[in-house]
Amino acid sequence: MNNDYLDPINALHMPEMADMTFAMDFLIRAKEGVRNTAIALTETVSPEARTVLRKQLHQGIALHQEIAELMIRKKWFHPYELGEQYQLDQLSAMNTIQIGKMKLFPEDTSRKGMFDRAPDEQ
């Protein structure tokens, strides 16, 4: 990756990387939801509330499984092949570091001279 963020070559594979990132974030959020619902279920006394939470827990587990299966099918997640997952995590970390090093904002943020006339001129 070069330092020119406007260079179209930097957009190569970006949609796939974005999809993978969104899916991983969704998987993590689904896992957090399952964990939080399970905790709430253990602390709830009302039978009606326990029924609702139990239903939500099963839905959350199903959602987590569906996301994980999608990610495995797309080869975005390798839960059974740690070597491959490690390589994927290393690539993600390197991309993050390279994006962090890019100069995304110009040194000079002055807008003077960018317009053909002053704002109050008609």
Side-chain angles (χ1 to χ4, degrees), residues 101-117:
K101 289 180 179 178
M102 289 177 120
K103 289 186 128 188
L104 298 178
F105 303 101
E107 297 290 329
D108 179 20
T109 59
S110 171
R111 300 286 186 231
K112 189 173 184 178
M114 292 185 65
F115 303 100
D116 60 346
R117 62 178 179 258

Side-chain angles (χ1 to χ4, degrees), residues 36-76:
N36 293 341
T37 304
I39 291 169
L41 183 59
T42 62
E43 296 178 357
T44 302
V45 180
S46 164
E48 296 84 14
R50 288 180 66 82
T51 301
V52 170
L53 287 172
R54 196 175 294 114
K55 182 179 177 185
Q56 286 180 348
L57 180 62
H58 289 293
Q59 289 172 340
I61 292 169
L63 176 63
H64 184 276
Q65 180 179 356
E66 188 176 337
I67 299 165
E69 288 173 355
L70 170 77
M71 291 181 70
I72 291 167
R73 194 169 51 252
K74 297 265 190 178
K75 299 191 184 324
W76 295 339

Side-chain angles (χ1 to χ4, degrees), residues 5-104:
Y5 69 95
L6 294 175
D7 189 348
I9 194 69
N10 290 326
L12 191 64
H13 305 297
M14 197 56 69
E16 295 86 4
M17 289 185 352
D19 288 347
M20 182 174 65
T21 302
F22 298 146
M24 182 58 79
D25 187 57
F26 193 22
L27 183 71
I28 290 168
R29 303 290 175 213
K31 185 176 183 176
E32 289 173 0
V34 167
R35 182 184 308 121
N36 293 341
T37 304
I39 291 169
L41 183 59
T42 62
E43 296 178 357
T44 302
V45 180
S46 164
E48 296 84 14
R50 288 180 66 82
T51 301
V52 170
L53 287 172
R54 196 175 294 114
K55 182 179 177 185
Q56 286 180 348
L57 180 62
H58 289 293
Q59 289 172 340
I61 292 169
L63 176 63
H64 184 276
Q65 180 179 356
E66 188 176 337
I67 299 165
E69 288 173 355
L70 170 77
M71 291 181 70
I72 291 167
R73 194 169 51 252
K74 297 265 190 178
K75 299 191 184 324
W76 295 339
F77 185 47
H78 306 281
Y80 306 112
E81 292 134 7
L82 297 181
E84 289 183 30
Q85 185 62 42
Y86 179 76
Q87 289 176 350
L88 197 60
D89 292 344
Q90 287 294 315
L91 178 63
S92 177
M94 291 304 296
N95 285 336
T96 301
I97 289 169
Q98 288 177 341
I99 290 169
K101 289 180 179 178
M102 289 177 120
K103 289 186 128 188
L104 298 178

